[in-house]
Amino acid sequence: GASPACRGFAPRRVCRRARHHAGVQGLTTVPTGLVIIGAGGFGREVLDIVEALEAEGHRLAFRGFLDDGEVDHDRLARRNAALFGDSQSVDSHADQYVIAVGAGLVRARIAGSLGRSRAVASTLVHPSATIGGDTTLAPGCIVAAGARLTTHIRLGEHVGVHVNAPVGHDCRVHDIVSVFPGANVGGDVTLGRGSTVGSGAIILPGIEIGAAAYVGAGAVVTKDVEPGETVAGVPARPLR
């Protein structure tokens, strides 16, 4: 069956040391709960995942958002969500986080900057997504509503599989990959670290997408893509 991290679509939790430390005036409790790093459109979509999980009885203790840039405060207010500060303040607000930033380079930068944080990366899977047998998700993965992960798939850290995106059997998805809404990743595909599969793109079985490569929206990929290359069209060809 699915790995323990995915069974029941529960968010991933890891063991950690006692949640307290010595403060200036005695024992101070470390904040617990979950924050979403990134308060843009994708961040608010991830809030949908959090709310759907909580509606099913998962106790995530969502605290609010952190963001390093400009934020639409009105839209956050309409979701009754607080904004606490930037990503480097995570330890002041929660002991778990997810990075809900669509751009892989930004996501990688934030993840790297949190290497010494006490907080740990959580994994969120929407209740309407499906996860097949012998499929594993590393810390920080986000799997949105309607996503379909079949069998024997490996997802690296901080991977985002967006709304209604199927990923086929035996795929190897490395760290910081983005599979955008409606993309279709065939079986036995390799997605290199930091690569992006655009909305509605199709990657045929057995293809290898190199690290930091970008597959444009609606492209049909019929052959391997070199690291750092951007491809688009039907069939997909490199952009010069």
Side-chain angles (χ1 to χ4, degrees), residues 16-238:
R16 59 182 67 83
R17 290 186 289 272
R19 294 174 176 171
H20 56 74
H21 61 87
V24 174
Q25 298 181 356
L27 200 64
T28 302
T29 301
V30 175
T32 60
L34 173 76
V35 291
I36 298 172
I37 299 176
F42 184 38
R44 286 178 274 113
E45 290 176 347
V46 172
L47 178 55
D48 290 339
I49 301 175
V50 170
E51 291 177 344
L53 286 166
E54 290 182 330
E56 289 211 336
H58 298 291
R59 301 178 65 181
L60 303 187
F62 173 65
R63 302 272 299 164
F65 286 92
L66 305 176
D67 199 285
D68 295 337
E70 295 184 3
V71 173
D72 189 325
H73 294 274
D74 178 63
R75 287 178 175 172
L76 290 189
R78 282 151 53 188
R79 298 297 301 270
N80 296 314
L83 177 70
F84 291 124
D86 62 25
S87 61
Q88 299 309 298
S89 67
V90 61
D91 285 339
S92 299
H93 302 292
D95 64 347
Q96 296 182 75
Y97 65 88
V98 288
I99 304 174
V101 177
L105 287 176
V106 178
R107 201 155 72 248
R109 177 185 60 76
I110 294 172
S113 73
L114 297 177
R116 295 188 177 183
S117 171
R118 289 189 304 270
V120 297
S122 185
T123 293
L124 299 178
V125 179
H126 194 283
S128 72
T130 57
I131 308 291
D134 191 34
T135 288
T136 60
L137 282 65
C141 286
I142 298 170
V143 181
R148 302 285 181 254
L149 277 63
T150 65
T151 186
H152 297 94
I153 297 168
R154 301 291 180 264
L155 265 58
E157 296 183 355
H158 303 292
V159 168
V161 182
H162 290 238
V163 172
N164 295 331
V167 178
H169 62 85
D170 301 298
C171 282
R172 296 159 299 281
V173 182
H174 292 264
D175 298 346
I176 320 290
V177 167
S178 299
V179 181
F180 283 152
N184 190 323
V185 180
D188 199 28
V189 164
T190 298
L191 300 178
R193 177 183 170 86
S195 60
T196 299
V197 183
S199 297
I202 298 172
I203 302 179
L204 297 187
I207 296 296
E208 181 170 352
I209 307 297
Y214 193 99
V215 176
V220 177
V221 181
T222 61
K223 60 183 180 180
D224 292 352
V225 177
E226 294 296 319
E229 195 167 55
T230 296
V231 299
V234 181
R237 293 185 174 87

